[in-house]
Amino acid sequence: MSRWKYFLQRLVLTVPILLLAMSIVFLIVRAGPLDPARAIVGMGNPAGYHDVAVDLGIERAVRVDGEVRYVDVPLWQQYVDFMAGLLTLDLGQSWVIYPETSVYEVIALRAPRTLWLGFWSVLIALFVGIPLGFYAGLNPNTWGDYTASFGGIVWRAMPNFWLAVILVAVLSNSQQLFGFSWQQLVVPTNVVTAPNLGFLTDPGMFLSDPGRAFNQLLGATKQILPAAIVLGSSSMGNEMRIGRTAVLETINSNYVETARAKGVSARSIVWKHVFRNALIPLIPIITAEAFLLIGGSVIVEYIFAINGLGQLFFTAATKGDLPLVGSLAFIFILLTLSLNVLQDFLYTIIDPRVGYEEN
Amino acid sequence: MTEVVESDESAREEDVLVEVNGLKKYYDAGSLTGTPVKAVDGVDFDIRRGETLGLVGESGCGKTTLGRTLVHLEAATEGEVLFDGRDVTSLSGSELKRWRRNAQIVFQDPESSLNDRMTVGEIVREPLDVHDWPTLTVRVAGDPDATVTGDAEAVGPTATGRDVDVTVTVSGDDADVAVRDSLPIGPEDLAVDVDSGSTTTVDVELLPSKAQVRRAHVRDLLERVGMQREHYFRYPHQFSGGQRQRIGIARALALEPEFVVLDEPVSALDVSVQAKILNLLEDLQDEFGLTYLFIAHDLAVVRHICDRVAVMYLGNVMELGAADSLFDEPANPYTHSLLSAIPEPDPTIESDPITLRGTPPSPRDPPTGCPFSTRCPAKIRPEAFDDLDDETWAAIDDLHRIVRERGRAERSLRERAREVLGMETRFSDVEDIVVEVFGRLDRTPDTTAERSFEAMMDALPRDVRGPLVDVTDHLRENREEDALERLLDAFGSECDATSPAYYDVDEGGRVSMCHRHDPAYDDVGPVLEERYGDYAGR
Amino acid sequence: MSQQPRRQRTASEPVLSVENLRTEFHTDKEVIRAIDDVSFDVHPGETVGIVGESGSGKSVTARSIMGLVDDPGRLLDGSSIRFRGEELVGKTEDEYRDVRGDGIAMVFQDPLSSLNPVYTVGNQIKEALKLHQGLTGKAATDRAAELLKAVSIPDARRRLTEYPHQFSGGMRQRAVIAMALACDPDLLICDEPTTALDVTIQAQILELLNDIQDAEDLAIVFITHDMGVIAQVADRVNVMYAGEFVEKAPVEELFANPRHPYTQSLLESIPGRGDADERLQSIEGDVPTPHGAATYCRFAPRCPKAFDECDAIHPAHVDVGEEDVEHTAACLLYPDDLPQEEALAIHQERQTEAERTGDGDAQLVDENTPPEEEQ
């Protein structure tokens, strides 16, 4: 089948996956060991409990003989309400961490930081890891190759929580260690704080007050860099190794030999013939690493005090703000599925054999 | 799908080991998208005990699929395979497992058919381990009611040959034990105890462990296929291609099968090594009384080793008969083409093959009528065009193939959109194609480019021009189906309409599937000679 | 396939002249001398075949000519490859690139893996056109379509936009041939081009090559292991074994009067040559891997006619044909019109001469060949 038809098929398949995933989230949140209302209200305070329960949709107030009673809403009804709410993108509100605040507001506050972190992590991994891998593959068994490969493995082996702590320590004491202060470099920042991302929410600032805007941009970048390096490091090592193998295999393939026999220049061979083919095995690696950035960021966000979505999720789960947990899970699942779709899209663009069936 | 013309039953009284009736194997048969791949599309033949039946054809004809289906590596979609009268396509579970001892397969690629992580000994031994070999079958001579206990099991009084491992002749309380030759054990390895009460009970114990017996058997096998006993402990990568193939053969013979499918066993080997393996296969056949299905594409090899040959094309058997006469005097046009295409290792013979045009159709879209109709050099032409010259016919056939290909070609979403909008796509240049195909007929040097479509059409005979104009119109509107229909309507014949039956073509029982064998039409040989002159047939 | 008589060698300059070619591979474990002193030439319009089994070094020969032999392989000193009179050995990579595709083109064995799967066939043909003829845009597309038509691929324009996996096997090989011919090379090297193809498709490709050769006066080096194919395509044949040419002759002569025991065994082991009921002749043993210069006959361990001296003296090429037929074989059994000691003495003399000059047989062979071959 044509490759775009194949892509469409994949796209359509994400819908049932989304529904299935959300159903599982529902089961965990509502039918799981924790009673959401109890978690919010705490032990004791029974009156408040019913109010919350009704608001959450777990119970219904019923008039019986002139009195108000509280009846459990059956699970299937809760399920229908839950899914309906999600599909109409009504994500509810946070109860514990930011009481009375809608989830959207919470996300709007926290998400940009996580995205900023994720963006830089992926960028570093991509633009350091892959070029290094290609370099190593094109010059195998040279000192450059050994250094790059070894470095990649070491970098990958370092646990990111450890690396994060070390970086924080080093940067905090940069004055004593290196003679210059990291905090004062270029733009004044703290080592551990959330980056100021005002320029993202208000892009018009670039036109109205460019000086301040760029200053903020620089500051935010510098702020996020250590965290991004930590988060991107293991991906980078992985992509480097796989990129190297991919290049080695491609270089030795028959079509590269044919190209050489045609008289194609070395540069053309690398950038035209090898590059695209070597990218094909890298696509699932890149997107898989991107998934990890969502979860793996919790620790890094915590250590660098970035206060992003990862940390929010963690706190919500531990503090019992289950509605928030459910809604955040939905966001994460959407993100994951989008990355999957992106992966399929990249495949479809790069490899024309996609969707082709052998006779 | 095709009828089998029944030939004289008495001529085929020989012992038939494998009988195949209406066998079909389709892939993706029930899928929602697209058409199934008709790898094997209705095949009938039988294989007699002790013979070597060759199965030849080009890649994509389905011969490998057929071979694999016979040994139940693929499940048949339709039809039956009778092994000694029993339908094996419906077997499953432990019955299937037991039957597998009778039919084995040797694969094509010696590099990939052996597990590199296992030693040679382990590889050849594995079938024995799986089937808990040996299950000693014992026949108590002259006493069919005797019970057998111990490491053995009783076998019926009618069993012979390799079905009987041990024969026990009871006289009173004594027993005379005889063991079959091909087993690596002798009577001294068995402890036989006879208890003659109301019914005789014979207890047979195997003294060495089964593992030891298996090892001994494997060593025997390795020797028989030309390896050495010490090779038991080596790994496949330490051997050459020819030797690896010997290991594969030893493995196939471990369970003493009756029937062996040889799937291109020598194709991956050099000529000198080929010769050795072929000699070995012949020796083994004599020694063990094996029946072979020899799948190959190298016709010279097939002629050497096979008794009868089946020629396959696009999932159908086109011709089937004795090897020598088939190669000397082929009946089917496909066989003619195949034989004439073989380069003869004799430079003094001018090779002038009937070069088939085009490529085999996709098994997803076999032609209606005869499967060979799109490329057949002896295709029946409608009487109205009797006097049309061969080159014009070649051009018409080319156009036919192009239209079929276009019908199948992937139209991406973008192209469909463009078509709907009436924009130019890569399917637009219909006139160019027609000019290209028919323009070659002109003898003047600068044909194609400048020739206008109209001018070229005018140069064609009127009864050709009419249909061509219609076809071109249909193509321009991307109505490939209609174009095809119009083409067949004007230029088609029996070959496109119905699939031919099998006709007897000589006294030896050879059958061939071609409309021209019907007395209503000219026979294949004369037609090919007329059209191609003295081609390199045999 | 063609109705013309076998092409006779003309007195014209050879397009390709290989002399004393030696190629070695140095790995950590061993040194492999894949090609040991190979010499031959190719004239315009003729097809020279190189036939041998796997491991004989045929493919390395092709790659050596194209300059595609890389670390850890290299051509040894003394090797000479002359193309249109110009010496190729010693050229830098850049200089070699000018020759590749433009002067010498190559067709490889497996057409599916010879084409880059992620680019259209048209893209790859146009790449060659751009490199050597500077064609771009519509001119390139037109020329590419013409090339596909010339190799009988129907519906050429549409095919240009398709990917290699959408072509069938035979069509792919045609596309590869079209790509190789894109820039009008003088020499085409075909390394087992039909081995992976069915016999009817093979017939089409061989016919195609023949037509092209007739039309363009193209010189072809055709490498294969199939004696049948060689019989049909080649004008002259070189039989290769373990890195050396063991017999060189025009094709009819080779099949009619094979002299070297290896050639004889090869011909006998082809099914169909002998009686169908007899067992096939085969050659015992395997092709050896040569590790250095040969000081003995490499075929001796497997040769049915070997004798003691075969393990001590390296056979040189001697004339074994009739008066005007150029037929040489490297075997101690020849020249067979001389008593054995004299014959052996000739080989011995050549061997010591070769060791002394370090130059192989080339110099001495020159003295004995007909005048036409001299530069």
Side-chain angles (χ1 to χ4, degrees):
Chain A
M1 67 179 97
S2 94
R3 42 190 180 137
W4 293 106
K5 212 158 89 171
Y6 174 80
F7 175 64
L8 229 71
Q9 262 188 2
R10 306 284 297 179
L11 201 53
V12 164
L13 274 176
T14 57
V15 174
I17 297 176
L18 180 62
L19 293 176
L20 181 64
M22 286 326 295
S23 306
I24 295 177
V25 169
F26 169 78
L27 282 174
I28 295 176
V29 169
R30 294 294 178 90
L34 274 170
D35 178 342
R38 179 67 58 196
I40 291 168
V41 163
M43 307 307 290
N45 194 359
Y49 173 82
H50 288 299
D51 287 331
V52 172
V54 167
D55 272 334
L56 281 180
I58 300 177
E59 288 182 352
R60 230 174 44 232
V62 171
R63 279 203 165 271
V64 176
D65 302 328
E67 274 191 358
V68 175
R69 302 259 176 174
Y70 292 99
V71 172
D72 283 340
V73 175
L75 203 61
W76 65 263
Q77 175 122 26
Q78 291 189 44
Y79 177 68
V80 171
D81 292 335
F82 179 79
M83 297 299 272
L86 283 180
L87 293 174
T88 56
L89 297 180
D90 170 16
L91 296 177
Q93 65 177 86
S94 162
W95 285 87
V96 175
I97 303 183
Y98 295 103
E100 307 290 319
T101 326
S102 87
V103 169
Y104 278 114
E105 276 179 44
V106 175
I107 289 180
L109 177 62
R110 298 281 198 127
R113 299 177 193 146
T114 299
L115 289 175
W116 189 239
L117 172 61
F119 171 72
W120 280 103
S121 310
V122 171
L123 225 61
I124 288 177
L126 269 183
F127 288 99
V128 175
I130 296 185
L132 263 185
F134 278 18
Y135 169 74
L138 289 170
N139 304 290
N141 302 319
T142 57
W143 279 109
D145 175 25
Y146 295 149
T147 317
S149 300
F150 185 66
I153 295 175
V154 163
W155 207 244
R156 179 154 216 251
M158 292 194 281
N160 56 7
F161 55 86
W162 175 86
L163 187 59
V165 171
I166 296 288
L167 258 186
V168 168
V170 163
L171 290 177
S172 303
N173 297 303
S174 48
Q175 182 71 55
Q176 290 94 307
L177 287 170
F178 304 119
F180 66 89
S181 161
W182 168 257
Q183 291 90 320
Q184 302 304 325
L185 195 63
V186 183
V187 173
T189 53
N190 287 330
V191 175
V192 287
T193 327
N196 182 352
L197 293 172
F199 62 91
L200 272 185
T201 46
D202 181 20
M205 197 171 28
F206 280 102
L207 296 168
S208 54
D209 188 355
R212 211 177 107 226
F214 277 112
N215 216 335
Q216 263 192 8
L217 177 61
L218 269 178
T221 310
K222 180 186 161 215
Q223 183 74 52
I224 208 71
L225 226 42
I229 289 177
V230 169
L231 205 50
S233 64
S234 70
S235 315
M236 184 175 74
N238 219 13
E239 280 160 19
M240 200 232 76
R241 287 193 312 142
I242 300 200
R244 176 181 185 274
T245 313
V247 166
L248 277 176
E249 269 182 23
T250 326
I251 281 274
N252 287 321
S253 60
N254 286 345
Y255 53 84
V256 168
E257 194 175 29
T258 308
R260 285 188 71 200
K262 269 168 31 184
V264 176
S265 71
R267 234 177 100 235
S268 229
I269 287 189
V270 169
W271 288 106
K272 179 178 173 186
H273 289 272
V274 170
F275 185 72
R276 195 164 153 184
N277 279 288
L279 267 188
I280 294 174
L282 276 173
I283 294 172
I285 306 297
I286 296 173
T287 38
E289 306 285 347
F291 300 156
L292 290 178
L293 293 177
I294 301 173
S297 65
V298 172
I299 296 171
V300 171
E301 283 185 7
Y302 196 79
I303 294 178
F304 282 93
I306 290 176
N307 297 341
L309 277 182
Q311 195 230 25
L312 176 66
F313 190 76
F314 179 67
T315 318
T318 48
K319 292 254 169 68
D321 193 345
L322 290 173
L324 185 58
V325 168
S327 303
L328 279 180
F330 178 63
I331 300 290
F332 284 159
I333 290 172
L334 265 185
L335 253 171
T336 309
L337 286 175
S338 313
L339 283 170
N340 251 328
V341 167
L342 179 66
Q343 174 180 326
D344 286 325
F345 179 71
L346 284 175
Y347 260 137
T348 314
I349 291 189
I350 295 184
D351 189 351
R353 290 169 290 186
V354 150
Y356 178 71
E357 287 146 16
E358 297 287 315
N359 267 349
Chain B
M1 186 177 100
T2 61
E3 315 157 28
V4 177
V5 176
E6 291 298 327
S7 60
D8 196 4
E9 276 298 320
S10 60
R12 297 199 278 115
E13 273 289 301
E14 295 92 343
D15 189 9
V16 170
L17 179 62
V18 181
E19 193 182 322
V20 179
N21 293 323
L23 188 63
K24 292 189 185 171
K25 174 65 189 165
Y26 290 3
Y27 291 102
D28 289 346
S31 89
L32 300 165
T33 56
T35 48
V37 174
K38 300 184 182 169
V40 178
D41 203 4
V43 159
D44 305 275
F45 62 91
D46 33 68
I47 310 177
R48 300 163 198 164
R49 206 176 293 268
E51 79 165 335
T52 304
L53 177 70
L55 188 58
V56 297
E58 301 179 291
S59 46
C61 70
K63 55 190 194 298
T64 299
T65 309
L66 178 56
R68 291 167 63 95
T69 310
L70 286 187
V71 290
H72 221 289
L73 277 177
E74 308 271 356
T77 310
E78 229 184 270
E80 55 180 18
V81 175
L82 299 176
F83 197 90
D84 251 343
R86 211 166 124 224
D87 184 12
V88 298
T89 51
S90 51
L91 286 183
S92 63
S94 57
E95 272 194 345
L96 176 61
K97 182 172 168 187
R98 218 165 331 154
W99 172 75
R100 283 199 188 283
R101 299 178 57 165
N102 297 329
Q104 289 287 315
I105 182 167
V106 175
F107 295 95
Q108 174 178 358
D109 184 7
E111 302 297 312
S112 56
S113 58
L114 302 178
N115 188 339
D116 286 317
R117 307 272 177 271
M118 292 164 71
T119 61
V120 168
E122 281 167 5
I123 290 172
V124 181
R125 208 180 120 167
E126 193 175 17
L128 303 175
D129 291 333
V130 168
H131 288 267
D132 200 28
W133 189 90
T135 44
L136 293 171
T137 45
V138 173
R139 186 175 63 185
V140 182
D143 193 347
D145 299 319
T147 48
V148 175
T149 56
D151 288 326
E153 59 182 44
V155 79
T158 50
T160 50
R162 71 173 189 82
D163 289 330
V164 183
D165 294 325
V166 180
T167 313
V168 177
T169 323
V170 177
S171 44
D173 268 339
D174 284 326
D176 196 36
V177 181
V179 178
R180 184 162 61 94
D181 270 336
S182 15
L183 286 183
I185 53 175
E188 63 280 4
D189 296 308
L190 298 170
V192 180
D193 201 36
V194 181
D195 178 20
S196 23
S198 50
T199 49
T200 331
T201 312
V202 179
D203 184 67
V204 180
E205 300 285 337
L206 183 64
L207 292 173
S209 70
K210 279 202 174 176
Q212 282 174 299
V213 179
R214 289 173 197 162
R215 263 201 296 273
H217 186 56
V218 169
R219 290 207 180 96
D220 276 345
L221 280 169
L222 287 177
E223 258 184 352
R224 280 209 176 99
V225 297
M227 310 274 290
Q228 275 141 35
R229 299 173 85 88
E230 307 82 68
H231 290 161
Y232 189 102
F233 297 104
R234 298 227 194 129
Y235 285 89
H237 69 265
Q238 295 170 287
F239 295 105
S240 69
Q243 288 169 309
R244 291 170 79 123
Q245 200 62 307
R246 289 175 196 268
I247 299 170
I249 294 172
R251 174 176 62 181
L253 296 178
L255 288 169
E256 298 173 289
E258 295 180 84
F259 176 57
V260 184
V261 172
L262 302 162
D263 187 3
E264 308 224 38
V266 293
S267 305
L269 306 173
D270 280 324
V271 144
S272 57
V273 181
Q274 244 182 45
K276 283 187 269 195
I277 300 295
L278 288 175
N279 290 338
L280 171 68
L281 286 171
E282 284 183 311
D283 290 340
L284 290 172
Q285 183 176 38
D286 288 333
E287 193 180 331
F288 292 113
L290 300 168
T291 305
Y292 285 152
L293 177 69
F294 193 95
I295 303 175
H297 63 265
D298 186 339
L299 295 164
V301 167
V302 166
R303 181 171 189 166
H304 178 86
I305 195 175
C306 297
D307 303 312
R308 290 192 304 148
V309 177
V311 180
M312 265 187 95
Y313 183 81
L314 214 61
N316 295 276
V317 171
M318 304 301 285
E319 187 168 358
L320 167 60
D324 282 330
S325 58
L326 190 138
F327 284 107
D328 285 332
E329 283 172 19
N332 195 286
Y334 180 60
T335 318
H336 274 275
S337 314
L338 208 55
L339 289 172
S340 81
I342 306 174
E344 180 72 24
D346 186 343
T348 57
I349 296 182
E350 285 295 336
S351 161
D352 203 0
I354 305 172
T355 315
L356 292 179
R357 300 172 76 90
T359 52
S362 159
R364 281 186 194 274
D365 183 28
T368 51
C370 177
F372 195 41
S373 58
T374 57
R375 302 167 79 207
C376 183
K379 188 173 170 196
I380 298 172
R381 296 170 181 166
E383 292 216 359
F385 293 105
D386 241 346
D387 47 356
L388 205 55
D389 63 293
D390 288 332
E391 276 104 358
T392 314
W393 269 110
I396 293 173
D397 288 334
D398 277 347
L399 186 62
H400 181 188
R401 274 190 292 273
I402 293 178
V403 173
R404 284 191 94 239
E405 266 301 307
R406 279 199 160 206
R408 283 201 64 236
E410 276 308 321
R411 276 185 166 74
S412 67
L413 293 176
R414 197 165 52 169
E415 272 165 359
R416 284 194 210 265
R418 286 172 80 107
E419 275 174 353
V420 164
L421 294 173
M423 292 162 71
E424 203 190 278
T425 69
R426 59 197 187 110
F427 287 82
S428 301
D429 47 340
V430 169
E431 283 166 18
D432 285 340
I433 294 187
V434 180
V435 169
E436 175 197 323
V437 167
F438 284 88
R440 276 191 236 127
L441 301 178
D442 196 330
R443 303 289 165 216
T444 62
D446 54 343
T447 49
T448 47
E450 301 313 313
R451 207 97 194 274
S452 81
F453 181 66
E454 289 76 22
M456 188 214 74
M457 285 301 226
D458 285 337
L460 291 171
R462 198 153 55 107
D463 38 7
V464 174
R465 195 189 322 149
L468 264 194
V469 169
D470 292 337
V471 168
T472 318
D473 285 336
H474 285 304
L475 280 180
R476 239 181 256 131
E477 309 292 315
N478 296 307
R479 294 191 300 255
E480 280 96 11
E481 296 242 335
D482 292 332
L484 206 55
E485 214 182 288
R486 184 74 183 93
L487 261 180
L488 289 180
D489 186 45
F491 302 110
S493 66
E494 194 61 25
C495 297
D496 303 293
T498 57
S499 188
Y502 285 101
Y503 294 87
D504 278 330
V505 286
D506 72 10
E507 282 86 43
R510 182 146 52 109
V511 292
S512 161
M513 175 172 131
C514 180
H515 284 297
R516 282 202 181 274
H517 296 315
D518 187 306
Y521 300 103
D522 293 333
D523 204 4
V524 178
V527 169
L528 285 176
E529 253 184 65
E530 187 194 315
R531 292 187 191 174
Y532 293 93
D534 199 13
Y535 62 93
R538 216 120 317 175
Chain C
M1 111 190 43
S2 101
Q3 298 298 327
Q4 299 164 356
R6 292 286 168 195
R7 296 174 190 89
Q8 301 301 314
R9 273 182 60 202
T10 60
S12 60
E13 281 292 303
V15 171
L16 180 75
S17 183
V18 175
E19 276 175 48
N20 309 130
L21 178 62
R22 292 186 176 87
T23 305
E24 261 185 3
F25 288 86
H26 291 255
T27 66
D28 295 331
K29 289 181 292 186
E30 53 186 354
V31 170
I32 300 178
R33 185 170 288 212
I35 306 177
D36 194 8
D37 197 13
V38 150
S39 309
F40 68 100
D41 40 58
V42 187
H43 291 247
E46 79 166 338
T47 304
V48 171
I50 301 180
V51 68
E53 298 178 293
S54 47
S56 57
K58 332 185 279 290
S59 289
V60 182
T61 311
R63 284 171 173 79
S64 301
I65 298 173
M66 292 293 282
L68 291 174
V69 171
D70 286 330
D71 239 6
R74 57 192 193 88
L75 273 62
L76 297 181
D77 290 335
S79 307
S80 156
I81 302 176
R82 281 257 234 300
F83 174 65
R84 290 193 290 222
E86 203 187 334
E87 178 65 57
L88 294 182
V89 176
K91 272 191 189 279
T92 65
E93 181 70 9
D94 284 333
E95 289 165 356
Y96 231 121
R97 263 215 309 278
D98 284 329
V99 179
R100 287 188 207 134
D102 198 23
I104 314 180
M106 190 153 165
V107 172
F108 293 88
Q109 177 172 348
D110 180 10
L112 179 55
S113 53
S114 293
L115 291 170
N116 193 327
V118 298
Y119 294 108
T120 60
V121 172
N123 178 313
Q124 297 182 55
I125 296 182
K126 286 189 258 187
E127 183 182 35
L129 289 173
K130 176 148 184 262
L131 264 176
H132 296 288
Q133 294 182 349
L135 287 178
T136 52
K138 184 159 186 310
T141 311
D142 288 339
R143 176 89 182 110
E146 257 175 58
L147 283 166
L148 284 190
K149 280 188 213 164
V151 295
S152 306
I153 292 182
D155 212 355
R157 266 190 201 270
R158 181 171 69 87
R159 292 290 185 178
L160 282 179
T161 61
E162 283 186 353
Y163 291 92
H165 66 267
Q166 293 171 291
F167 278 45
S168 72
M171 227 183 290
R172 261 178 234 139
Q173 195 63 305
R174 288 170 192 272
V176 169
I177 292 174
M179 196 165 74
L181 297 173
C183 305
D184 281 328
D186 291 321
L187 173 67
L188 183 67
I189 303 180
C190 300
D191 187 3
E192 308 234 34
T194 56
T195 304
L197 304 173
D198 284 322
V199 74
T200 52
I201 309 290
Q202 172 175 271
Q204 289 177 344
I205 300 290
L206 294 180
E207 189 182 83
L208 172 67
L209 283 173
N210 198 40
D211 291 338
I212 293 173
Q213 184 170 48
D214 284 340
E216 318 266 339
D217 211 23
L218 185 63
I220 298 182
V221 173
F222 198 103
I223 299 174
T224 178
H225 66 270
D226 186 335
M227 297 298 272
V229 170
I230 275 286
Q232 297 308 320
V233 302
D235 300 312
R236 287 186 298 133
V237 182
N238 301 313
V239 180
M240 195 163 187
Y241 183 81
E244 300 177 295
F245 281 178
V246 296
E247 190 161 1
K248 297 151 81 157
V251 65
E252 297 99 344
E253 172 73 6
L254 189 81
F255 279 82
N257 299 312
R259 297 295 195 181
H260 195 283
Y262 177 60
T263 317
Q264 290 165 346
S265 305
L266 262 188
L267 288 172
E268 274 160 28
S269 60
I270 300 173
R273 288 277 288 192
D275 203 353
D277 293 331
E278 279 176 21
R279 290 166 67 81
L280 292 172
Q281 295 297 314
S282 65
I283 315 176
E284 291 307 314
D286 299 310
V287 180
T289 310
H291 292 289
T295 52
Y296 55 92
C297 175
R298 290 204 173 114
F299 186 56
R302 304 169 73 195
C303 182
K305 300 185 184 167
F307 47 93
D308 289 333
E309 281 78 356
C310 297
D311 289 324
I313 307 175
H314 180 237
H317 271 271
V318 290
D319 273 333
V320 293
E322 313 278 304
E323 280 295 316
D324 49 355
V325 177
E326 286 165 47
H327 183 173
T328 64
C331 179
L332 296 182
L333 291 172
Y334 302 98
D336 57 355
D337 49 351
L338 297 176
Q340 198 184 48
E341 303 85 52
E342 282 187 42
L344 288 178
I346 296 181
H347 289 279
Q348 183 75 63
E349 197 188 306
R350 297 260 187 88
Q351 185 177 7
T352 43
E353 183 66 36
E355 280 164 16
R356 196 169 55 75
T357 61
D359 208 31
D361 293 343
Q363 279 187 343
L364 298 159
V365 167
D366 268 347
E367 290 173 330
N368 292 329
T369 52
E372 293 157 29
E373 206 172 331
E374 275 181 279
Q375 250 81 50

